[in-house]
Amino acid sequence: MRVPVKFIGFVFWLFSLNCARCQAKQRSCRDISVENGFTQSNDEEIIYSCNPGYKPFTGGNWWDSVTCSKGSWSEEPRCIREEECGAFPSVHHGKLKQSLHDRGPAEVECDPGFISTQRFITCVRGTWEKPVCEVGVSCNIPPKVEYAFITSKPEELYAHGSSVTYKCRRSFLMKGENTVFCRNGTWDETPTCEEATCSLNTTVEDLKIMRVPNIEGSVKPGHKLRFSCNGQWLILKGQREITCQPNGEWSSPFPKCEEVMCVANLTINMRSDEQPAPEVSIRPGHTITLSCVGKGSELQGQSKITCLPNGEWNVPFPKCVGGKCGPPPQVDFADTTEMTKPEYNSGERVEYICFNKYTLVQDHPYSKYLTCEHGEWRGNIKCFKPCSVTVEEMDKRGIELRWGPLEKIFSPHEDRISFACQRGKDLTDSSISLIQYCNDGVMHLPECV
Ligand SMILES: *[C@@H]1O[C@H](CO)[C@@H](O)[C@H](O)[C@H]1NC(C)=O
Ligand SMILES: *[C@@H]1O[C@H](CO)[C@@H](O)[C@H](O)[C@H]1NC(C)=O
Ligand SMILES: *[C@@H]1O[C@H](CO)[C@@H](O)[C@H](O)[C@H]1NC(C)=O
C-alpha cells in the first residue's frame, strides 16, 4: 500500500506536538538514594545529610544539595567516612594534577612564577592539607660561563621557573646542560665550555703520522695530520691528510696501510713460470715470465713483466693470440655431439647436448656452442637438472600423482606435476599448490595429513 508523503509529514507534526508537552516530565531527574546518608528530594533538588560518622564527599559542610538540570543531577550525592578526604580543594595560583595511571597522590602545579610549599597534597585525618602556591623568588643575572654567551638578551630579573640557554663559542664544546632554570632565587648548575680537541688515538699499524703544525700537546681544531706508511710495500688507503674540526672530530677517518700486490688472471692458454694458478698475485719488485701454451699461439707483448711499487705492471699485460685450442672442456651434464679432435683452429666450434631429461639453457650468455678463439675456448653451456619424485617420498607426505600411479617419475626443468592428496587426507598448508613445477632439480612437494 502506498502512503502519501503529505500524510506521513502530518503524523510527524502531531507527534512533535505531543512531545513538547511531555518534555517537562522528561527533564526531571531519576530519584536516587545515598548510601550511608538520607535525602529529601523534589523534581529539581536533593538535599542530603549523612549518617553519624559520615560526611558529604564535597567537603566543607555536614549537609549538601545537588540540583537537577536537563535530566541529570549536578553531581552524585555521596557520603564518605569522616576520616576520609573528599573532593580536592581549589588552589590559588595553581591546580592539582592526578595521574590517571597509578592513582597516587595528586601533584600541585603552580602557575608560572609561583612555587608550591609542598609537591603533593596530603590528607590529614579527613582534611586536605591545602598547598599554597606562593610567588617564587626571582633570580639575578645568570652566572657567567667562560667562553660562552646566553642566547637571549640580558634581563634585570628572572622570574622563578624562567630559563636561559648557554652556547659556547666556536671550537669549544659544552659539558653539562645548555638550558638552566631559575628555581626560587637560585640558578641550576651551569654548564662549562671546553676547548675542543681531536683524539690522537690510533691503533693502525705501520701508519706514520706527522702533525701540522708540529707541536706537542692536544690537537686543536684546525690542526692537521699527515700520513705515510712505514713498510716498503705498503700503500696508503684513505686520506693522506686530515683536519681536526671545530666539533673535535676528524674530517675523515684515519687511513690504513695495505700491502701492495700486482694481480692478474691468466687466460687458459697462458702460463706463468712463477705461479701455477690462473690467478697471479706478486709483490712489487718481483718479475714473472709468461708463455703461451698450445700450437701456434704467440705471445703479444713482453714475456717478462715486473710489479711496480704502486701495484701496477711495468708494461701492459701480454696476451696469447692466434693459437690452436686443445680438446674442448668437460661440461656438467652435457656431452659434445661429435667425437672431439685433439686440436682446433681459431673460429672452429663444437656443439653440446645435455644428458637425457636435462634441459639446455639457451638464453644469453648461454648457448649450445663453445668456440675456439686464439687458443681459448669461449662460450657458456648450462644444463638445468631434472626433478625426480619417488613413491616413498610421496607416501611420506601423504600425496600421490593425480594422473595415474607410476613407480618413479622424472620431470624436466619447468615441467609441471599435478599431485593429489591420498584418500581421506587434506592439504596441511593451502598456500602450497598441488601443482608444482620443476626448477633446476628442485621441486617443492605439498603435504597432506
Ligand atoms: C623559596 O625561597 C624563600 C626565600 O629563600 C623561602 O623562604 C621559601 O621557603 C622557598 N620556597 C620553597 C618552596 O623552597
Ligand atoms: C681510544 O679509542 C678506543 C676505541 O675507539 C677507546 O676505547 C679508548 O678509550 C680511546 N683512548 C683514548 C685515550 O682516547
Ligand atoms: C680474477 O678473477 C676473479 C674471479 O673470477 C675476480 O674476482 C678478480 O677480480 C679477477 N682479477 C683481475 C685482476 O681481473
Side-chain angles (χ1 to χ4, degrees):
M1 192 181 76
R2 283 171 63 102
V3 179
V5 172
K6 263 187 193 161
F7 175 74
I8 294 174
F10 174 72
V11 170
F12 270 105
W13 177 75
L14 263 185
F15 182 73
S16 60
L17 255 192
N18 223 8
C19 242
R21 226 181 282 148
C22 74
Q23 244 164 28
K25 260 220 162 96
Q26 273 190 350
R27 271 194 193 163
S28 67
C29 298
R30 86 199 141 82
D31 208 6
I32 42 176
S33 60
V34 180
E35 210 179 320
N36 302 313
F38 46 94
T39 62
Q40 178 187 312
S41 61
N42 57 36
D43 275 354
E44 279 93 46
E45 193 179 39
I46 294 179
I47 296 182
Y48 70 101
S49 187
C50 298
N51 294 345
Y54 290 86
K55 61 180 183 184
F57 175 80
T58 44
N61 304 307
W62 56 270
W63 82 98
D64 212 341
S65 68
V66 294
T67 51
C68 176
S69 165
K70 289 190 183 136
S72 56
W73 297 108
S74 53
E75 59 196 307
E76 191 192 353
R78 264 171 74 196
C79 287
I80 58 171
R81 296 218 305 276
E82 288 277 12
E83 62 271 24
E84 288 180 315
C85 284
F88 285 142
S90 61
V91 179
H92 267 300
H93 306 299
K95 55 180 185 285
L96 292 163
K97 215 175 61 179
Q98 183 155 41
S99 155
L100 288 176
H101 298 294
D102 49 17
R103 305 289 306 160
E107 203 170 335
V108 187
E109 204 180 71
C110 293
D111 296 340
F114 289 83
I115 186 166
S116 174
T117 48
Q118 62 201 69
R119 181 150 174 228
F120 297 106
I121 185 172
T122 44
C123 178
V124 178
R125 284 185 299 278
T127 312
W128 286 115
E129 199 149 81
K130 212 170 164 176
V132 178
C133 283
E134 53 186 32
V135 176
V137 179
S138 296
C139 293
N140 290 324
I141 210 98
K144 181 179 164 124
V145 170
E146 304 281 352
Y147 306 113
F149 43 81
I150 280 172
T151 56
S152 51
K153 281 193 183 139
E155 285 164 32
E156 231 163 82
L157 279 181
Y158 291 83
H160 163 80
S162 62
S163 66
V164 293
T165 301
Y166 287 86
K167 197 163 185 252
C168 295
R169 63 175 291 184
R170 210 176 131 77
S171 300
F172 281 68
L173 296 180
M174 185 167 287
K175 291 258 167 73
E177 289 296 319
N178 61 348
T179 298
V180 300
F181 286 87
C182 165
R183 295 190 207 275
N184 200 25
T186 313
W187 286 103
D188 286 347
E189 198 180 328
T190 52
T192 57
C193 290
E194 286 164 28
E195 193 167 17
T197 56
C198 287
S199 157
L200 250 187
N201 179 5
T202 171
T203 52
V204 180
E205 273 176 63
D206 305 314
L207 192 65
K208 212 161 80 185
I209 303 175
M210 200 177 97
R211 282 187 61 172
V212 184
N214 197 359
I215 47 171
E216 296 283 310
S218 54
V219 187
K220 301 201 169 147
H223 290 193
K224 290 180 185 355
L225 297 184
R226 268 188 211 137
F227 302 101
S228 50
C229 290
N230 264 328
Q232 197 185 358
W233 306 124
L234 294 174
I235 54 168
L236 199 69
K237 282 277 160 73
Q239 295 295 316
R240 192 157 287 278
E241 187 176 280
I242 62 176
T243 308
C244 180
Q245 295 180 303
N247 61 1
E249 310 227 329
W250 290 105
S251 55
S252 307
F254 279 51
K256 290 190 173 76
C257 287
E258 284 180 6
E259 207 170 1
V260 190
M261 296 289 257
C262 290
V263 290
N265 286 332
L266 297 188
T267 50
I268 199 167
N269 55 356
M270 200 175 225
R271 294 283 178 277
S272 145
D273 62 347
E274 298 272 318
Q275 296 189 322
E279 259 176 77
V280 174
S281 78
I282 63 166
R283 297 202 161 168
H286 287 240
T287 298
I288 53 169
T289 308
L290 296 162
S291 53
C292 295
V293 290
K295 235 184 188 169
S297 176
E298 278 178 20
L299 195 76
Q300 209 174 58
Q302 292 187 24
S303 60
K304 275 189 190 307
I305 63 170
T306 304
C307 183
L308 296 177
N310 63 358
E312 307 210 342
W313 300 104
N314 65 331
V315 289
F317 205 79
K319 274 189 225 155
C320 289
V321 295
K324 296 191 176 190
C325 296
Q330 290 280 333
V331 172
D332 286 342
F333 317 119
D335 244 330
T336 53
T337 53
E338 287 169 33
M339 289 282 283
T340 59
K341 303 185 286 180
E343 209 175 88
Y344 289 79
N345 287 319
S346 209
E348 276 190 285
R349 66 182 192 180
V350 289
E351 186 182 341
Y352 283 80
I353 185 166
C354 290
F355 294 169
N356 190 22
K357 303 280 187 198
Y358 283 73
T359 311
L360 190 78
V361 185
Q362 300 267 29
D363 305 329
H364 184 81
Y366 299 99
S367 76
K368 53 181 170 176
Y369 300 110
L370 289 187
T371 309
C372 174
E373 280 177 31
H374 303 302
E376 236 188 299
W377 287 105
R378 293 200 186 259
N380 299 286
I381 311 273
K382 186 177 164 70
C383 297
F384 279 130
K385 300 187 200 84
C387 297
S388 75
V389 184
T390 61
V391 171
E392 293 83 65
E393 277 174 315
M394 287 192 283
D395 270 345
K396 227 162 85 185
R397 303 182 73 86
I399 52 173
E400 59 194 11
L401 289 178
R402 190 174 174 114
W403 317 115
L406 286 177
E407 275 305 289
K408 176 174 180 169
I409 52 157
F410 279 102
S411 161
H413 175 71
E414 286 193 336
D415 202 30
R416 185 172 89 159
I417 300 187
S418 298
F419 296 97
C421 284
Q422 288 175 354
R423 187 179 288 276
K425 294 186 176 176
D426 285 316
L427 204 56
T428 50
D429 181 354
S430 59
S431 66
I432 295 179
S433 171
L434 280 167
I435 296 173
Q436 288 292 333
Y437 291 83
C438 173
N439 181 17
D440 197 11
V442 179
M443 175 172 281
H444 297 288
L445 293 182
E447 188 168 20
C448 300
V449 290

